């Protein structure tokens, strides 16, 4: 019997050790593809990153490694969103949210995934749901333990930045200057609280600066805008990032504000080439619009028409993808309503049965009492 117990313990140890080794292998591969020097957009490797993530997801499912599944799904949701496949971004985000929401250990993953979903919803025009989802991400991040302070500040900064973008997309719900200042300053303050050794600090500092620069440009405070651009240059000096793209868009906005439309066009042309190289289709669509507007100011109607035509072709292409994503959202909503209806029906049956049971027992009690008389 002791021999059998020993054999069982040895076998159990082998299984645990083997799984742990596999988990470490998955984590190592994932850390490599997500390292600061492996930006998939700059390196033009988004397809490769998706392929590797899909393989890591499959490996994680084989050994029921939840951390690996969440990491892979989250990364795929992010890449799909940035490269214009909104449906797949939502599919992957929802799959990961179902895993992360079951255990408080994944509280920051849950918050991160809600941010990805909120961003995708805004692209489909679900502005109210997007804002609710982003606020939920902030609320969940606030409940994280102190050991997660860096990711908490990161998520809150990103959510505040995205809330500003949602209001910009929703032309029926623009922010007042006071509200806009709250969101851009909140994003910046959260980013500043992240420690220098956090791998994503440069990225989120850049995002928060982007919000500040755009706001100060809108308000005509161009000196402040340029000051923050200089800060962005310093942060991104030794990083592999998309700052060059962001920087040229922001400088284009500043030159447009100065009515120096020729200079603005120069910056937007550089930015356009980079969006094509990075395959950032939503940024590309925006820059087509900005170029058309500036060429209109220059009374260069030929180039204005040229970029408006490009914008329309890309918009039509994205509309097809967004329609698939909207269909997915409608099916998901229908599924939730069906489940809710089933739950309500089950509750109705339960309470009806309980009521009938009470009436029957009461009737039997009266019958018994009457028969004794």
């Amino acid at each position: 019997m002791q021999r059998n117990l020993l054999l069982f313990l040895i076998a159990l140890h082998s299984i645990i050790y083997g799984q742990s080794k596999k988990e470490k292998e998955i984590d190592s591969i994932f850390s490599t593809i997500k390292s600061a020097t492996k930006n998939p957009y700059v390196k033009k490797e988004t397809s490769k990153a998706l392929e590797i993530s899909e393989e890591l997801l499959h490996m994680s499912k084989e050994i029921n490694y939840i951390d690996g599944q969440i990491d892979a799904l989250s990364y795929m949701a992010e890449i799909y969103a940035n490269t214009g496949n909104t449906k797949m971004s939502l599919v992957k985000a929802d799959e990961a949210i179902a895993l992360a929401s079951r255990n408080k250990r994944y509280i920051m993953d849950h918050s991160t995934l809600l941010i990805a979903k909120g961003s995708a919803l805004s692209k489909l025009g679900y502005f109210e749901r997007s804002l609710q989802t982003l606020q939920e991400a902030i609320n969940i991040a606030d409940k994280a333990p102190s050991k997660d302070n860096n990711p908490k500040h990161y998520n809150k900064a990103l959510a505040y930045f995205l809330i500003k973008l949602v209001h910009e997309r929703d032309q029926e719900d623009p922010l007042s200057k006071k509200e806009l200042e709250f969101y851009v300053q909140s994003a910046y303050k959260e980013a500043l609280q992240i420690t220098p050794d956090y791998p994503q600090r440069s990225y989120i500092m850049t995002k928060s600066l982007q919000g500040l620069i755009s706001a100060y440009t809108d308000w005509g405070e161009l000196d402040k805008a340029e000051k923050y651009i200089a800060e962005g240059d310093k942060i991104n000096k030794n990083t592999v990032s998309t700052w060059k793209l962001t920087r040229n868009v922001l400088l284009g906005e500043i030159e447009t504000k100065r009515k120096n439309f020729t200079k603005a066009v120069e910056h937007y042309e550089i930015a356009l080439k980079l969006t094509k190289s990075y395959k950032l289709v939503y940024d590309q669509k925006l820059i087509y619009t900005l170029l058309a507007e500036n060429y209109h100011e220059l009374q260069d109607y030929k180039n204005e028409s040229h970029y408006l035509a490009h914008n329309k072709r890309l918009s039509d292409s994205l509309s097809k993808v967004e329609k698939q994503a909207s269909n997915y959202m409608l099916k998901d909503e229908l599924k939730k309503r069906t489940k809710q209806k089933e739950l309500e029906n089950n509750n109705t049956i339960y309470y009806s049965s309980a009521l009938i049971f009470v009436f029957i027992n009461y009737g039997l009690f009266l019958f018994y009492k009457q028969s004794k008389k």
Side-chain angles (χ1 to χ4, degrees):
M1 183 176 174
Q2 285 181 336
R3 184 173 179 276
N4 289 337
L5 179 60
L6 180 62
L7 288 171
F8 170 75
L9 291 172
I10 291 169
L12 182 63
H13 177 269
S14 298
I15 291 167
I16 293 169
Y17 179 78
Q19 183 168 341
S20 176
K21 189 177 178 182
K22 196 78 171 175
E23 288 174 3
K24 287 178 182 176
E25 182 188 342
I26 291 167
D27 289 344
S28 176
I29 296 170
F30 192 72
S31 295
T32 302
I33 65 169
K34 277 210 80 177
S35 68
T37 58
K38 293 283 183 182
N39 188 302
Y41 311 103
V42 177
K43 299 281 186 180
K44 305 175 188 177
E45 293 179 345
T46 49
S47 297
K48 185 179 177 182
L50 286 169
E51 188 180 327
I52 294 171
S53 298
E54 195 68 60
E55 182 60 30
L56 291 176
L57 176 63
H58 179 69
M59 289 167 64
S60 298
K61 283 183 175 179
E62 281 184 335
I63 60 172
N64 195 32
Y65 182 37
I66 303 300
D67 295 57
Q69 291 179 56
I70 291 173
D71 284 343
L73 288 164
S74 301
Y75 197 42
M76 285 191 281
E78 176 195 318
I79 293 174
Y80 278 128
N82 288 332
T83 54
N85 194 337
T86 312
K87 178 192 172 182
M88 287 306 298
S89 177
L90 286 167
V91 169
K92 298 301 181 185
D94 280 339
E95 188 178 345
I97 286 168
L99 293 169
S101 60
R102 295 174 191 168
N103 192 324
K104 287 184 179 179
R105 188 161 78 84
Y106 303 113
I107 188 168
M108 286 313 304
D109 293 297
H110 190 189
S111 171
T112 300
L113 289 157
L114 287 170
I115 288 171
K117 183 168 184 176
S119 177
L121 287 169
S122 73
K123 290 172 182 174
L124 299 174
Y126 292 96
F127 300 122
E128 189 175 341
R129 284 188 63 180
S130 172
L131 291 170
Q132 289 170 354
T133 305
L134 291 169
Q135 186 58 54
E136 186 183 355
I138 292 171
N139 296 342
I140 288 173
D142 274 331
K143 296 174 185 175
S146 58
K147 69 180 180 68
D148 288 328
N149 274 349
N150 276 335
K152 176 174 78 172
H153 293 309
Y154 176 95
N155 278 20
K156 289 180 71 176
L158 185 56
Y160 284 130
F161 172 80
L162 290 171
I163 287 171
K164 168 190 171 289
L165 286 188
V166 173
H167 282 285
E168 285 178 358
R169 285 179 179 143
D170 184 6
Q171 296 178 353
E172 294 181 6
D173 188 23
L175 292 170
S176 66
K177 183 177 178 179
K178 187 177 179 180
E179 289 170 328
L180 176 56
E181 191 167 16
F182 168 77
Y183 286 115
V184 296
Q185 289 291 350
S186 295
Y188 187 57
K189 286 173 186 174
E190 292 291 340
L192 284 174
Q193 294 181 69
I194 298 171
T195 58
D197 60 332
Y198 190 63
Q200 298 297 314
R201 187 178 191 272
S202 296
Y203 173 82
I204 198 61
M205 279 298 299
T206 304
K207 279 292 176 191
S208 64
L209 286 171
Q210 182 182 340
L212 283 169
I213 294 161
S214 288
Y216 283 121
T217 301
D218 286 344
W219 300 332
E221 299 179 46
L222 304 184
D223 289 345
K224 287 184 180 179
E226 289 178 326
K227 173 192 140 188
Y228 285 119
I229 283 180
E231 191 175 332
D233 288 338
K234 187 178 177 182
I235 289 168
N236 290 278
K237 188 176 180 180
N238 297 311
T239 63
V240 180
S241 71
T242 57
W243 171 242
K244 188 178 178 182
L245 163 60
T246 304
R247 185 181 192 276
N248 276 285
V249 173
L250 294 169
L251 287 171
E253 289 176 357
I254 290 171
E255 295 301 338
T256 300
K257 194 73 175 179
R258 286 179 171 143
K259 299 190 183 301
N260 191 348
F261 303 115
T262 302
K263 192 69 177 173
V265 164
E266 288 175 14
H267 287 298
Y268 290 142
E269 290 283 9
I270 294 169
L272 181 61
K273 287 177 184 176
L274 291 169
T275 59
K276 290 178 179 179
S277 175
Y278 301 160
K279 296 182 180 179
L280 299 173
V281 290
Y282 281 97
D283 290 340
Q284 193 176 325
K285 179 185 170 186
L286 169 66
I287 293 167
Y288 282 142
T289 302
L290 295 171
L291 279 165
E293 289 172 356
N294 277 270
Y295 275 119
H296 178 81
E297 295 294 339
L298 291 167
Q299 298 183 356
D300 184 343
Y301 303 121
K302 181 180 177 182
N303 271 315
E304 180 190 1
S305 298
H306 171 77
Y307 285 111
L308 285 174
H310 274 294
N311 180 279
K312 187 178 185 309
R313 277 196 293 272
L314 183 55
S315 296
D316 290 345
S317 177
L318 286 171
S319 291
K320 291 175 184 177
V321 178
E322 287 167 359
K323 187 177 180 182
Q324 292 175 347
S326 293
N327 288 339
Y328 166 78
M329 287 299 300
L330 289 170
K331 286 177 184 176
D332 185 56
E333 192 65 36
L334 185 61
K335 193 188 296 181
K336 286 178 182 175
R337 287 182 184 178
T338 303
K339 281 186 180 179
Q340 183 63 29
K341 190 77 174 174
E342 286 174 359
L343 184 64
E344 288 172 2
N345 289 340
N346 289 338
N347 286 339
T348 302
I349 292 167
Y350 172 79
Y351 288 120
S352 297
S353 300
L355 197 60
I356 291 167
F357 180 75
V358 169
F359 279 130
I360 290 171
N361 277 284
Y362 183 66
L364 289 171
F365 169 74
L366 290 176
F367 177 76
Y368 175 75
K369 192 174 179 182
Q370 190 68 31
S371 62
K372 285 191 78 176
K373 288 181 181 179

